[in-house]
Amino acid sequence: MDMNSLRINGKRLQSTLEEMAKIGGTPNGGVTRLALSDEDKKARDLFVSWLEELDMEITIDEMGNIFGKMPGKNNDLDPVMSGSHIDSQPKGGRFDGILGVMGALEVARTLKENNIQLERPYIVVDWTNEEGSRFSPAMVSSGVWAGELSLDWAYNRTDINGKKQGEELERIGYKGSVPAKKHPVHAYYEYHIEQGPILEREDKTIGAPKGIVCLHWYDIYLEGEANQVGPTPMVGRHDALVAASEMITAVNKMPAKMGIDNLVATVGEIQNQPNSRNIIPNGVHFTVDIRSWDDDLAIRGWESLKKDFNEIAERHGTPLRMEETWRVEHAPFDDRLVKRVLETAEEIGYSSHYMVSGAGHDASYMNHFCPTAMIFVPSINGRSHVEVENTSWEDCAAGANVLLHSVIKSASETE
Ligand code: GLV
Ligand code: MN
Ligand code: MN
């Protein structure tokens, strides 16, 4: 057959995504499918059943990563791999992550129904807990697999209720026995929604990021002094929440204060103790997320915040503890693969755009040891990590076609 005219089945990809969107579906059209929840388990089971239908060789490792392998003509050659994640944010969208797993599955379905056997094996992957929302950090299981994070540390990360990640893996039946340990990969492609406004603004269908920004995560703990709000005078209080509020404002102002626009800083999570309207707060935990293409800049931003935090804590008499939870350096992708994505888009007839990914992806850790690239499609109104997250079905199919032909090209290379 003429390989160049081969296309994925857009209707099948759509119905696959629609079926997945029912698992953890929210009334407002999004999904809540937190890592290692019952919903995550249900979606994994469905994904595994779809891999079985294709007679793929299924492996579940000790981090719960799911791999489906389609043999090649020469199984001594390193495989081509593609995938993303099935877990979601709380009240997240129907495309983040799942598009990349179902897109990679759709590529396998297309190859199988056309009786195409590639030279190299092709592996579809679901990485456990990419989001880092229930258990921090994000991308933890590709991080363990790539040898960058330790298995024990990952197992012992706890959620807000004190449940351990390792125990939850076991509870849902996805703590496999195969070591979560990298093996050589010839090329890794991750297909994903853009999650930002650039492609729509540029009126382009396919994005090819040159890489991913660095991600630095911190956890801040403040200790205050609880007391009755009525009788306690304003002067002399040690209010942990008031101190935290000044710190949060400092985080938001930090990039501008440094005179820089290629840096973003966010506080997204906060817990306040005892969280009663008539008790002065005596304990606050909040998170800081700093990202930039320039790792040094992100670190300078943090150094400046640390000074501000110490000054604020001292002034309020609220002792401070700062944890540097997680750092992943910016990931410049493989030039040759990025170019391949751009060229493939053009060959198929889609417009394309060279850009940077401001969102984190498992591709970041994969990039540490194998040639890696990503394929983006537009996010309507640039919204993501929200229930209204949306991408047109046409664009979903477009990205999957670019993935299909990028995979075919890489899997046809015999050296
Ligand atoms: C992952 O979703 C991230 O960019 O935080
Ligand atoms: Mn994602
Ligand atoms: Mn996400």
Side-chain angles (χ1 to χ4, degrees):
M1 72 163 303
D2 173 18
M3 282 280 239
N4 293 336
S5 61
L6 189 68
R7 294 291 179 270
I8 61 94
N9 183 333
K11 280 269 171 298
R12 180 172 58 198
L13 177 59
Q14 175 181 342
S15 65
T16 302
L17 287 164
E18 283 172 339
E19 204 165 333
M20 274 292 178
K22 288 185 201 150
I23 305 174
T26 59
N28 295 321
V31 292
T32 298
R33 204 164 45 228
L34 299 183
L36 311 183
S37 61
D38 292 350
E39 292 75 24
D40 187 12
K41 176 194 165 37
K42 208 169 155 197
R44 285 162 172 266
D45 289 350
L46 184 57
F47 171 53
V48 167
S49 76
W50 285 336
L51 292 175
E52 280 166 351
E53 276 174 19
L54 296 174
D55 297 320
M56 291 176 91
E57 183 188 315
I58 298 165
T59 304
I60 295 163
D61 73 17
E62 53 198 352
M63 274 312 293
N65 296 319
I66 303 171
F67 304 88
K69 182 165 159 184
M70 182 169 263
K73 285 184 198 146
N74 184 349
N75 292 301
D76 292 335
L77 294 173
D78 297 338
V80 171
M81 195 188 275
S82 183
S84 194
H85 59 98
I86 280 177
D87 70 313
S88 86
Q89 290 285 328
K91 291 191 183 168
R94 292 174 297 149
F95 296 89
D96 178 0
I98 196 73
L99 175 64
V101 185
M102 297 303 113
L105 176 75
E106 177 54 35
V107 166
R109 285 173 167 170
T110 303
L111 294 171
K112 175 105 176 165
E113 76 187 349
N114 286 281
N115 297 312
I116 295 168
Q117 187 167 33
L118 301 170
E119 205 63 42
R120 290 172 183 273
Y122 171 56
I123 296 177
V124 178
V125 58
D126 163 43
W127 299 110
T128 296
N129 184 20
E130 187 276 347
E131 293 291 3
S133 176
R134 180 179 174 198
F135 303 96
S136 77
M139 295 138 56
V140 66
S141 303
S142 55
V144 171
W145 199 78
E148 306 280 338
L149 302 174
S150 99
L151 182 69
D152 277 346
W153 183 75
Y155 278 172
N156 283 311
R157 304 296 297 168
T158 52
D159 71 5
I160 198 169
N161 299 312
K163 294 241 165 81
K164 286 190 173 154
Q165 188 155 236
E167 289 163 6
E168 284 296 275
L169 259 175
E170 203 159 333
R171 183 188 70 81
I172 68 159
Y174 275 89
K175 193 177 195 176
S177 52
V178 176
K181 210 168 183 318
K182 69 182 167 195
H183 55 68
V185 172
H186 181 65
Y188 176 75
Y189 292 102
E190 186 161 345
Y191 173 30
H192 208 279
I193 52 166
E194 180 202 341
Q195 310 189 268
I198 310 287
L199 290 176
E200 195 175 66
R201 199 181 289 158
E202 299 286 328
D203 196 22
K204 297 289 200 287
T205 304
I206 300 294
K210 67 174 179 179
I212 302 177
V213 296
C214 72
L215 282 84
H216 296 180
W217 282 11
Y218 306 94
D219 283 84
I220 315 301
Y221 299 88
L222 281 160
E223 209 184 296
E225 188 178 72
N227 213 339
Q228 228 294 11
V229 300
T232 311
M234 294 308 290
V235 176
R237 289 184 177 200
H238 305 288
D239 185 326
L241 188 58
V242 172
S245 72
E246 281 188 35
M247 292 178 191
I248 293 166
T249 304
V251 172
N252 180 256
K253 290 192 183 334
M254 181 270 285
K257 186 176 139 192
M258 294 187 63
I260 269 142
D261 60 7
N262 57 344
L263 181 70
V264 291
T266 310
V267 174
E269 183 181 344
I270 182 165
Q271 280 98 35
N272 176 52
Q273 300 296 334
N275 213 30
S276 169
R277 72 174 71 204
N278 41 8
I279 304 177
I280 295 169
N282 69 343
V284 171
H285 161 237
F286 68 92
T287 60
V288 179
D289 173 311
I290 303 178
R291 304 182 186 203
S292 175
W293 184 253
D294 180 342
D295 297 70
D296 291 341
L297 188 61
I299 288 172
R300 287 210 304 280
W302 170 242
E303 293 300 329
S304 147
L305 278 178
K306 268 204 300 200
K307 275 198 205 107
D308 291 347
F309 286 3
N310 278 320
E311 182 275 314
I312 295 164
E314 200 143 303
R315 187 154 38 78
H316 286 277
T318 51
L320 171 70
R321 184 162 63 83
M322 298 184 262
E323 262 176 36
E324 304 187 352
T325 311
W326 181 54
R327 273 186 190 170
V328 53
E329 290 170 5
H330 88 289
F333 289 156
D334 184 81
D335 280 342
R336 207 174 64 91
L337 282 202
V338 175
K339 216 164 145 221
R340 171 163 290 166
V341 170
L342 290 165
E343 282 167 4
T344 303
E346 192 184 325
E347 281 159 20
I348 304 179
Y350 302 127
S351 57
S352 62
H353 189 67
Y354 185 61
M355 57 192 296
V356 170
S357 173
H361 302 285
D362 294 299
S364 202
Y365 279 125
M366 293 303 283
N367 187 62
H368 285 195
F369 78 97
C370 72
T372 296
M374 291 190 74
I375 297 160
F376 281 175
V377 284
S379 291
I380 295 173
N381 295 322
R383 302 285 308 280
S384 184
H385 281 184
V386 288
E387 291 169 292
V388 299
E389 176 183 281
N390 203 1
T391 293
S392 75
W393 297 120
E394 207 184 337
D395 287 345
C396 288
N401 277 319
V402 174
L403 176 64
L404 170 71
H405 284 281
S406 301
V407 165
I408 289 175
K409 285 175 188 169
S410 289
S412 303
E413 291 168 335
T414 50
E415 51 193 79

